[in-house]
């Protein structure tokens, strides 16, 4: 994964939106995890967070945007989502800010379209600034919980596809 592939992945998700929802294409979870690993926001490889206990993550690494309600449950079971919805500031001055919002994806049962949109839109916003080559600025500005959400949402969407 490199700085341009994050945007390319977001574009691919957009182009294959209907096929992903129809289960004709599978969510490329490994590519989402590679994008997260490239961003260097998390202390461990992205894949490892799915099995990590919510309580341990909350205590050791979380920036407390996610509602982590079950200490002994893995992060893969989290029903809360943090969506990266906007970025502003000045990349040339290494001052950017991402904004986030909570997204309910389990109200009335699991809503796969919402998880797909969280991953797609988050990668689009992040990819837009990642292409500037200011990786350290992007890394410092990103919420750990929002990045974990990309991992969890993509894995949960893929699980839904395979069910």
């Amino acid at each position: 994964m490199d700085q341009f592939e994050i945007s390319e992945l977001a574009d691919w998700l957009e182009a294959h939106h209907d096929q992903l929802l129809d289960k004709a294409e599978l969510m490329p979870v490994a590519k989402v995890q590679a994008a997260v690993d490239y961003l260097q926001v998390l202390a461990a490889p992205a894949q490892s967070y799915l099995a990590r206990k919510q309580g341990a993550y909350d205590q050791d690494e979380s920036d407390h945007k996610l509602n982590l309600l079950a200490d002994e449950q893995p992060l893969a079971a989290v029903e809360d989502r943090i969506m990266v919805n906007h970025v502003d500031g000045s990349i040339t001055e290494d001052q950017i800010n991402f904004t986030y919002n909570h997204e309910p994806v389990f109200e009335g049962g699991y809503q796969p379209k919402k998880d797909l949109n969280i991953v797609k839109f988050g990668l689009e916003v992040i990819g837009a600034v990642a292409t500037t080559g200011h990786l350290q600025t992007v890394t410092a500005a990103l919420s750990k919980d929002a990045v974990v959400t990309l991992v969890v949402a993509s894995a949960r969407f893929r699980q839904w596809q395979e069910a």
Side-chain angles (χ1 to χ4, degrees):
M1 187 65 57
D2 67 25
Q3 65 190 38
F4 302 106
E5 289 176 298
I6 296 171
S7 289
E8 290 171 9
L9 177 56
D11 291 344
W12 186 89
L13 292 169
E14 178 65 36
H16 293 87
H17 181 268
D18 292 339
Q19 295 92 330
L20 288 160
L21 286 172
D22 292 340
K23 302 182 182 182
E25 295 271 358
L26 292 176
M27 170 66 77
V29 174
K31 287 185 178 184
V32 174
Q33 292 172 352
V36 167
D37 287 340
Y38 171 77
L39 295 168
Q40 301 173 7
V41 174
L42 302 175
Q47 183 178 17
S48 69
Y49 285 82
L50 293 170
R52 191 165 178 195
K53 301 281 188 204
Q54 293 178 34
Y57 173 75
D58 187 45
Q59 183 177 11
D60 299 339
E61 196 168 352
S62 174
D63 49 29
H64 308 292
K65 289 181 181 6
L66 278 172
N67 293 319
L68 301 170
L69 305 174
D71 286 352
E72 294 304 314
Q73 291 291 317
L75 283 169
V78 169
E79 294 186 358
D80 194 25
R81 302 288 191 264
I82 303 298
M83 182 174 181
V84 180
N85 63 12
H86 183 70
V87 63
D88 61 21
S90 171
I91 195 70
T92 57
E93 295 176 17
D94 289 323
Q95 295 178 344
I96 60 169
N97 298 299
F98 289 97
T99 55
Y100 312 95
N101 60 298
H102 274 91
E103 288 293 322
V105 296
F106 287 86
E107 286 182 357
Y110 179 66
Q111 299 176 32
K113 185 176 181 180
K114 285 191 176 186
D115 262 349
L116 175 58
N117 287 336
I118 286 167
V119 175
K120 180 177 61 174
F121 195 70
L123 291 174
E124 183 179 316
V125 172
I126 294 166
V129 291
T131 58
T132 63
H134 291 247
L135 180 61
Q136 290 178 334
T137 301
V138 174
T139 299
L142 271 170
S143 160
K144 290 178 182 288
D145 287 1
V147 173
V148 164
T149 292
L150 296 174
V151 175
V152 172
S154 65
R156 179 62 180 95
F157 184 85
R158 176 73 174 259
Q159 180 185 20
W160 168 81
Q161 288 182 305
E162 294 175 339

